[in-house]
Amino acid sequence: MGTFTLGMAASNLRAATGYEIQTLTRDPANPDRRMLFSPNILKVPAGSRITFTPTDPGHNVQTTPGMLPDGAAAWRFGFGKSGSVTLSSPGFYGYHCMPHRSMGMVGLIIVEGAGMKANLAAAKAVRQPGKAGAVWADLWAKAEALV
């Protein structure tokens, strides 16, 4: 019985470090909301694996220049393609869908750890096109409540 409990605890630990973000053309809960990531903000421990899952072939996912911690690698997943990234460097990671960025299809991942806020000012300073600016204002307000 003890081994089973230990095994379940280890299994739950592994599950807790994996996260999924969906690319959506329409929010199933509110069809008036279009072009979004769900969720569009996550706070995760360092070493977490994030999987981006497409729900429509018209979306891609890529890091936003200027919105990565120092030393963190950029990523880009093709249109309609799923992809995963393991985030080890603490800080703020901005990402977007290239054709829908100006429509506000952007997101933020906050990776916890020492030095987490080192790239915060630089990430906030990145200029955002179109509706992305308003979505980022909302994301930064939510981020302040999380950190």
Side-chain angles (χ1 to χ4, degrees):
M1 184 84 169
T3 303
F4 177 76
T5 303
L6 180 60
M8 289 215 15
S11 175
N12 288 340
L13 179 61
R14 280 192 302 274
T17 60
Y19 300 86
E20 180 185 43
I21 298 173
Q22 293 184 333
T23 63
L24 299 170
T25 299
R26 284 200 162 96
D27 183 345
N30 181 357
D32 292 337
R33 291 185 60 220
R34 300 173 49 96
M35 308 305 168
L36 65 144
F37 292 102
S38 180
N40 68 351
I41 187 169
L42 278 177
K43 182 179 178 187
V44 300
S48 294
R49 184 174 179 84
I50 312 296
T51 300
F52 293 90
T53 305
T55 62
D56 183 296
H59 303 295
N60 80 323
V61 181
Q62 63 188 71
T63 52
T64 302
M67 299 185 83
L68 291 177
D70 285 343
W75 71 83
R76 182 180 183 150
F77 304 117
F79 290 93
K81 305 283 186 194
S82 65
S84 296
V85 62
T86 299
L87 303 178
S88 299
S89 297
F92 294 80
Y93 292 74
Y95 61 92
H96 64 275
C97 170
M98 180 52 111
H100 302 116
R101 181 180 180 192
S102 65
M103 296 176 74
M105 193 167 182
V106 298
L108 175 65
I109 301 168
I110 305 165
V111 178
E112 300 171 300
M116 175 177 77
K117 293 185 180 182
N119 77 315
L120 178 59
K124 282 184 167 184
V126 172
R127 291 195 52 173
Q128 301 291 339
K131 292 181 183 178
V135 174
W136 273 108
D138 181 56
L139 288 172
W140 292 126
K142 288 177 182 176
E144 286 181 24
L146 293 174
V147 293

